Amino acid sequence: MAAWGVDRLGEVVEKSASEVYLFDPRDCAFILVNKGARDNLGYSAAELAKLHPWDLKPEFDEQQFRDFVAPLLNGETKSLSFETAHKRKDGSTYDVSVKLQLIETGGETVFFAAIQDVSDLNFIRQRFERTTRQLDSILHNTQMAIFMMDEHQQCSFMNRAAELMTGYSFDEAAGRCLHDLIHHHYPDGSPFPIEECPIDQAFPERHLMTGEDVFIHKDGQFFNVAYTASPIIGSEGEAIGTVVEVANIDAEIGSREELARSHAALEKSVRIFKQAEKIAELGSWEFNTETQELHWSDETYRILGLEPDGSITLERSLQLYAPEDRSRVEALYLDAIRNKHSLNFTTHVVRSGGDFRQIRVMAEFVEEPNGDQIVMIGTIHDVTDKLRAMSDLHYAAAHDDLTGLLNRNAFEEGARERLRQALMADASFFALLFDLTGFKFVNDTFGHQTGDKLLQQIGGRIAKAAPDHAIVSRWGGDEFAILSPLAMSESQARTLGQNILKAIATAVDLEEGVVSVGATCGIAQSTALSSLEDLIRRADLALYHGKAREPGRLHFYNPGMELRNSERRIALQTVESALGEDRVQAGYQPIIQLTDNRLIGFEALLRINGNGRSVIPAGDVIPAIVDPVISRQISERMFENVSRDLPGLMAEHAGVQYVSINATEADLISRDFASRVLRVLEQHGVDPTCVTVEITETMLLVGNNQNVKSVLEELRSHGIRIALDDFGTGYSSLTHLRDFPIDRLKIDASFVQDICFSPTSKNIVQAMVVMGRSMGIEVIAEGIEAEEQRSALLDIGCYYGQGYLFSPAVPAEKARAFQFGYSDRETA
């Protein structure tokens, strides 16, 4: 047998680390069993030559084995892979993994079995499964509620305690945002934004978050909890989820409330026994005015830095007071003794070694029990540390703990005093507000600690650049405010502002590297009628104007800014009112297939109904549309309107395949945007594949474009298509088509309108069409208004367009209805 194997397979099989078996397909007698197998089984080659495979496999008899290998002999399969057990000569067994196949060698067909001992692997598997069961048992039997959230902050695990605490089963909570489930609004009904949820921030911040909060049970009841939210870090250091441990502390809160009530009762008792408490508080002393005897307690000696010796006198005690206080204290004592007055004063004493301490002395006259003498009984309290702490507290209350500059409250107090001084002196001064540019990038790139160091450096530079008697503060976040001294001229204020802008813009060398930011400054001058609120409002208005138009420079307030601010305020009020009165609707602009002028889709456009049938153009409320809060509310309303209208539109126009809806920058930087969109579509029974979300390239340039990409990929994973709007204008880059999931490319109308008479525009559009189609992206031309444009687009291979050309199925009067969002009944 060994010779046969060596002749045909050589020593490679014989010396293989794996067990190798060759046996005859007719009688299944072993032809070759290599050394590794023989050693493991304990049989010699001669013994194995008399055995068959079923002799080594307790789970098979001869017939079962022949039936098992029949598919190989019949040609039904080329190999068999399975796990089984081998029986050694000594009767012990071990687990093996087998790969069995027929091979030809030397003109003969034999069974070839490659076998791997998997005993250790199976042992590890069993240990892992047992450990997993133990971990599950621990998690499910602990009294602490445990939640786990994945990288999308969706619930991926709840133990039994969590289910009992919240009232939700894991099946109900799985895949849902924990914040939306049990943490979405306050007990008073006001919304709890997810951006302010510290539990939700543990993942992006990658920080341990602990604290107390209020959760909502499934039945609507609120309960108090203590929580710890920890980011789950993967093997490569990436954050892959969050684990949250929660405990119900209703009972503890009740105890605290009871403690507070007890404390209030104690305070009442303290007031009653206040004088007695003062006498017994710390060191005590007694002075007999008739015998002139003075007695100190041991604590009094300690406070004054002396060793108890019983020989203290009034004259000696007076020598302990600081020289500058001594005569005043002596006069107080003599007057109290002469007129039987009580004592209550604070002063300084000098202990041995020259250590100055502040003490508070209190005393009153008490008649002795026998009534023949009146003594002065007093206390002495070392208040050095207390007064120092109070001083520190006053400083902390008035200063920003990061930069050391005045905080906003102290700044406002100083500003009111400066306004009063200016009025009395018939003078004026300037308020300068600075807003840093690029600070968020530094914070996001290097982390909050680096951002804090940068703020400290900038705060120091601003303080150094400010003149004497200027009031300098950290206004909040990355904003700083300065009030100039009185009687500063406009040119001096300009120079001051420019010097500070220059100081801020100078690069800062930190341990993490060299970083730099800029700033924009708004300046307003006080007037005789200025209030603090009006002065700051004007400086802030100048700052807002500068950031919008010329960031990084100095901008003085002028009355013309009031008009622009008024326009913005009116726009906000108009849109907020329209949202509240349900006057924000969707108008639908057709998207057509240019080859046959067939209607295939719509773009939903914002329409705000005014009085009666009038429509407020979107251009009139642009300041509101770009506001991050209002834009998100508009987006939510538009998705709701379109989801409600889409089934009817598709039923009436059989060729319509989809509707496009514009997203805003505020949408894309919101982590819950995709889930909100999908939830609205589901509520109205809308197939996500019938919806396209339109974005502009400027939205891809926000600081956290990775978050934008994640949002778009999540939408696309559910079938929603992504369209890149206004392509060709602004900052167009092919990297956006490469790096973001773009399905449709919309060529800006400015190119399409010139296509019939401008060869340059035509060439640009053709290049865009060729590029898009080569990348598998559907190209749509916007702004089609004439048949000539449609023909020109078809000539260069553009098959889809958006505008006001209609097929006979969409008459002009209905087109106008779509355009302005009216119903058919209204246009009849």
Side-chain angles (χ1 to χ4, degrees):
M1 175 179 65
W4 193 96
V6 171
D7 290 343
R8 288 159 179 76
L9 299 178
E11 293 184 3
V12 174
V13 171
E14 175 67 13
K15 296 180 179 180
S16 172
S18 301
E19 297 184 22
V20 178
Y21 297 74
L22 298 178
F23 55 93
D24 194 306
R26 290 162 297 184
D27 61 4
C28 294
F30 285 122
I31 298 171
L32 169 65
V33 179
N34 73 342
K35 185 177 185 304
R38 296 196 303 272
D39 291 345
N40 207 359
L41 291 168
Y43 289 106
S44 67
E47 290 173 319
L48 286 166
K50 301 175 183 179
L51 299 178
H52 303 82
W54 54 81
D55 295 321
L56 304 180
K57 296 177 171 40
E59 63 180 291
F60 289 109
D61 58 24
E62 179 179 355
Q63 187 57 46
Q64 289 173 327
F65 184 79
R66 291 185 179 277
D67 292 341
F68 184 74
V69 300
L72 274 175
L73 293 171
N74 297 337
E76 297 174 13
T77 182
K78 292 185 178 180
S79 65
L80 292 174
S81 296
F82 58 96
E83 290 192 3
T84 182
H86 273 186
K87 183 177 180 181
R88 297 186 178 95
K89 182 177 180 179
D90 62 7
S92 62
T93 61
Y94 60 100
D95 297 328
V96 294
S97 173
V98 181
K99 184 171 184 180
L100 182 63
Q101 61 187 50
L102 286 170
I103 64 172
E104 288 191 9
T105 176
E108 298 184 37
T109 301
V110 297
F111 273 118
F112 177 86
I115 294 177
Q116 185 74 36
D117 187 339
V118 294
S119 300
D120 292 341
L121 178 60
N122 286 344
F123 175 75
I124 292 171
R125 287 176 181 168
Q126 293 168 2
R127 288 290 299 273
F128 178 75
E129 290 172 358
R130 184 166 62 253
T131 301
T132 300
R133 289 194 300 271
Q134 290 172 343
L135 179 59
D136 287 343
S137 176
I138 292 171
L139 288 174
H140 282 296
N141 287 289
T142 181
Q143 298 300 307
M144 178 73 72
I146 298 176
F147 305 83
M148 291 186 185
M149 295 180 285
D150 61 19
E151 68 274 15
H152 302 297
Q153 298 299 70
Q154 295 174 344
C155 185
S156 59
F157 174 81
M158 291 171 61
N159 67 351
R160 292 193 190 96
E163 293 178 328
L164 291 173
M165 173 181 284
T166 64
Y168 292 96
S169 68
F170 175 65
D171 290 340
E172 293 174 301
R176 295 177 63 182
C177 176
L178 182 62
H179 176 84
D180 292 342
L181 192 71
I182 53 177
H183 206 204
H184 48 81
H185 67 274
Y186 291 103
D188 63 3
S190 60
F192 188 161
I194 193 171
E195 294 82 3
E196 298 178 9
C197 173
I199 294 177
D200 192 77
Q201 293 301 309
F203 178 80
E205 298 291 341
R206 299 182 65 165
H207 289 165
L208 176 71
M209 299 291 185
T210 61
E212 295 180 1
D213 217 319
V214 178
F215 277 8
I216 310 169
H217 193 272
K218 182 180 179 181
D219 63 10
Q221 298 296 315
F222 289 86
F223 57 96
N224 298 285
V225 298
Y227 65 84
T228 299
S230 311
I232 303 173
I233 306 301
S235 59
E236 297 182 2
E238 76 282 13
I240 59 175
T242 312
V243 59
V244 185
E245 302 172 47
V246 182
N248 188 313
I249 58 170
D250 276 342
E252 182 179 338
I253 294 296
S255 298
R256 292 180 191 172
E257 292 173 350
E258 180 60 31
L259 181 61
R261 288 191 291 270
S262 300
H263 184 68
L266 179 60
E267 286 185 339
K268 183 177 180 180
S269 298
V270 167
R271 287 195 299 271
I272 296 173
F273 297 100
K274 187 176 181 180
Q275 189 61 39
E277 183 183 9
K278 287 178 181 178
I279 294 174
E281 186 179 2
L282 288 175
S284 63
W285 53 271
E286 177 181 321
F287 179 67
N288 190 310
T289 58
E290 293 186 9
T291 64
Q292 298 292 296
E293 293 177 350
L294 178 62
H295 299 282
W296 284 354
S297 67
D298 291 344
E299 185 66 14
T300 300
Y301 279 102
R302 189 198 65 78
I303 290 173
L304 297 176
L306 297 174
E307 291 295 329
D309 60 7
S311 60
I312 192 71
T313 63
L314 181 60
E315 290 75 14
R316 182 185 172 192
S317 69
L318 290 174
Q319 296 304 310
L320 298 174
Y321 292 98
E324 61 272 20
D325 292 346
R326 197 171 298 155
S327 58
R328 177 180 66 89
V329 171
E330 183 177 6
L332 289 172
Y333 273 111
L334 292 176
D335 181 66
I337 294 171
R338 185 182 304 111
N339 298 300
K340 301 298 187 286
H341 290 165
S342 59
L343 283 175
N344 188 343
F345 63 89
T346 301
T347 186
H348 294 82
V349 293
V350 184
R351 303 200 300 191
S352 59
D355 180 21
F356 274 78
R357 306 295 292 179
Q358 282 186 282
I359 62 169
R360 185 176 185 183
V361 178
M362 300 180 66
E364 62 180 14
F365 282 90
V366 177
E367 186 176 340
E368 290 281 18
N370 56 19
D372 59 350
Q373 289 184 342
I374 296 179
V375 297
M376 179 181 286
I377 295 178
T379 60
I380 181 172
H381 180 34
D382 186 342
V383 294
T384 308
D385 295 335
K386 179 179 178 180
L387 293 178
R388 185 178 295 129
M390 289 178 63
S391 176
D392 292 343
L393 186 61
H394 284 302
Y395 180 88
H399 290 78
D400 173 52
D401 58 357
L402 181 63
T403 62
L405 302 177
L406 292 178
N407 59 27
R408 189 164 182 164
N409 288 336
F411 175 85
E412 290 179 351
E413 288 182 10
R416 290 189 177 90
E417 175 61 21
R418 183 137 299 177
L419 282 168
R420 188 187 67 79
Q421 294 171 352
L423 182 62
M424 293 178 62
D426 191 21
S428 66
F429 60 94
F430 290 86
L432 297 85
L433 293 184
F434 295 87
D435 185 275
L436 301 187
T437 305
F439 177 74
K440 183 178 185 300
F441 173 80
V442 174
N443 230 11
D444 293 344
T445 303
F446 297 97
H448 292 289
Q449 290 184 339
T450 301
D452 288 348
K453 293 177 184 177
L454 180 60
L455 287 176
Q456 289 173 336
Q457 291 277 355
I458 290 174
R461 291 179 178 183
I462 292 174
K464 186 176 180 180
D468 293 341
H469 308 298
I471 299 176
V472 184
S473 80
R474 182 184 177 195
W475 187 247
D478 58 352
E479 292 184 317
F480 296 85
I482 296 178
L483 296 181
S484 74
L486 291 178
M488 176 174 277
S489 68
E490 182 175 321
S491 63
Q492 289 173 323
R494 183 183 300 277
T495 300
L496 172 61
Q498 290 173 341
N499 288 342
I500 292 178
L501 288 177
K502 183 178 179 180
I504 292 173
T506 304
V508 180
D509 190 1
L510 301 175
E511 294 178 5
E512 296 80 356
V514 178
V515 297
S516 61
V517 294
T520 304
C521 176
I523 303 182
Q525 185 175 12
S526 71
T527 66
L529 300 177
S530 290
S531 66
L532 173 61
E533 291 73 16
D534 187 53
L535 178 63
I536 296 301
R537 183 187 63 79
R538 291 184 177 188
D540 191 53
L541 195 57
L543 177 62
Y544 177 84
H545 167 87
K547 288 170 61 179
R549 290 164 178 79
E550 292 184 278
R553 299 186 63 183
L554 192 88
H555 299 271
F556 277 88
Y557 165 84
N558 66 72
M561 296 175 182
E562 298 287 357
L563 177 60
R564 289 186 288 272
N565 188 54
S566 176
E567 291 172 349
R568 177 175 179 271
R569 187 170 60 252
I570 290 172
L572 289 172
Q573 291 172 349
T574 299
V575 174
E576 287 173 345
S577 174
L579 286 167
E581 298 170 4
D582 199 21
R583 291 188 284 107
V584 172
Q585 299 181 2
Y588 298 93
Q589 188 180 58
I591 300 173
I592 59 175
Q593 186 166 280
L594 297 179
T595 54
D596 55 8
N597 213 25
R598 183 167 56 88
L599 179 67
I600 61 171
F602 290 107
E603 179 182 357
L605 302 175
L606 172 66
R607 293 292 181 261
I608 299 176
N609 290 339
N611 297 324
R613 290 170 57 98
S614 65
V615 175
I616 301 172
D620 289 356
V621 292
I622 286 178
I625 294 174
V626 299
D627 181 84
V629 176
I630 296 298
S631 68
R632 179 167 172 170
Q633 295 176 11
I634 292 173
S635 175
E636 290 176 350
R637 186 65 56 84
M638 287 291 289
F639 273 98
E640 182 72 31
N641 290 341
V642 172
S643 298
R644 184 184 61 239
D645 296 346
L646 183 56
L649 288 173
M650 298 186 74
E652 185 171 356
H653 304 285
V656 171
Q657 301 168 13
Y658 66 91
V659 170
S660 290
I661 315 175
N662 292 284
T664 68
E665 182 177 313
D667 289 329
L668 296 186
I669 62 177
S670 173
R671 287 192 303 276
D672 66 341
F673 173 61
S675 61
R676 286 190 287 111
V677 170
L678 294 168
R679 185 162 57 248
V680 171
L681 297 180
E682 182 180 5
Q683 289 171 352
H684 292 276
V686 175
D687 185 349
T689 60
C690 298
V691 175
T692 294
V693 170
E694 293 196 14
I695 61 174
T696 63
E697 288 194 280
T698 56
M699 298 179 190
L700 305 181
L701 301 176
V702 297
N704 189 2
N705 56 17
Q706 185 58 45
N707 186 66
V708 172
K709 183 178 180 182
S710 299
V711 170
L712 297 179
E713 288 176 342
E714 183 176 358
L715 291 170
R716 199 186 196 199
S717 70
H718 288 83
I720 295 174
R721 301 295 89 189
I722 308 300
L724 188 59
D725 199 7
D726 299 335
F727 190 76
T729 63
Y731 183 80
S732 296
S733 172
L734 295 181
T735 60
H736 297 153
L737 303 181
R738 180 197 66 190
D739 297 339
F740 293 88
I742 306 300
D743 302 292
R744 295 187 172 103
L745 191 66
K746 301 184 71 175
I747 300 175
D748 187 71
S750 61
F751 296 100
V752 177
Q753 290 169 356
D754 297 342
I755 194 171
C756 294
F757 55 83
S758 171
T760 301
S761 292
K762 185 174 182 178
N763 290 337
I764 292 173
V765 173
Q766 184 175 18
M768 293 181 187
V769 171
V770 172
M771 175 195 64
R773 293 180 62 187
S774 69
M775 300 177 70
I777 298 175
E778 185 178 287
V779 180
I780 302 172
E782 295 187 282
I784 301 176
E785 298 176 348
E787 180 66 30
E788 292 81 359
Q789 293 169 329
R790 183 172 78 94
S791 298
L793 289 167
L794 284 172
D795 288 343
I796 61 176
C798 183
Y799 303 138
Y800 304 99
Q802 181 172 332
Y804 300 113
L805 287 174
F806 301 93
S807 66
V810 187
E813 62 270 16
K814 185 164 290 186
R816 287 192 295 272
F818 287 140
Q819 187 177 351
F820 292 104
Y822 299 130
S823 68
D824 293 340
R825 183 175 301 173
E826 290 174 315
T827 59

